Amino acid sequence: MSGADLSHRNHVNTLFRDHYPWLCTRLRRQSNDAATAEDIAAETFAQLLEAPGRTAIREPRALLTTIAQRLLYERWRRGDLERRHLHQLQQRDLDHAPSPEELADLSQSLKHLDRTLQRLPGKVRSTFLLARIDGLTYPQIAAELGISQRSVSLYMTRSQALCNRHSANQTLISSQNKRSA
């Protein structure tokens, strides 16, 4: 580990000790759930830790609030997507309604995809969700996240490759489950 990396880790560690309780309290007011607030606060500091070569942060609470807000919005968007999908399933004609087993498989697949996406760095995951869930264009995503359009393109390629691997794994698991049934 280089001296700069160690210095950055120490700086984030100090920020964590100084601001984590404050951030949890702030997020608890917005999410009405202590566990969600703590998860988002922890992820905020994890993203800050992953950020390469940060210089001294003049307004740490402003930066932490911005990162946490993006994470909270991302969680809300994901929840909205799940609710829309469930609503669409409920609106289907009962003759074509999926069986409880199909719903369980779908739920399991969505949870697995969510875990897969959680392995992506924050900006890559946000880029993917803004494009696929919110339908934003690359220029809009670049403006929203404060990154270049080239970065958006690279992040989308990276996240799409991960989704393709996920899809291939799900197909393999599904075929193995059918054989064993």
Side-chain angles (χ1 to χ4, degrees), residues 122-177:
K123 282 193 178 180
V124 177
R125 183 174 54 249
S126 294
T127 299
F128 177 80
L129 292 172
L130 288 170
R132 297 291 188 232
I133 306 301
D134 295 342
L136 270 61
T137 64
Y138 284 18
Q140 291 170 324
I141 295 168
E144 171 79 18
L145 297 178
I147 58 177
S148 69
Q149 287 185 43
R150 176 158 168 70
S151 292
V152 172
S153 180
L154 291 171
Y155 293 169
M156 284 301 295
T157 300
R158 184 174 174 187
S159 60
Q160 191 60 51
L162 182 66
C163 287
N164 291 343
R165 286 192 304 273
H166 167 79
S167 180
N169 288 342
Q170 288 303 109
T171 302
L172 180 63
I173 291 168
S174 177
S175 66
Q176 288 173 346
N177 289 342

Side-chain angles (χ1 to χ4, degrees), residues 3-16:
D5 290 341
L6 186 58
S7 173
H8 178 67
R9 289 177 65 108
N10 289 337
H11 184 65
V12 172
N13 184 32
T14 301
L15 289 174
F16 181 84

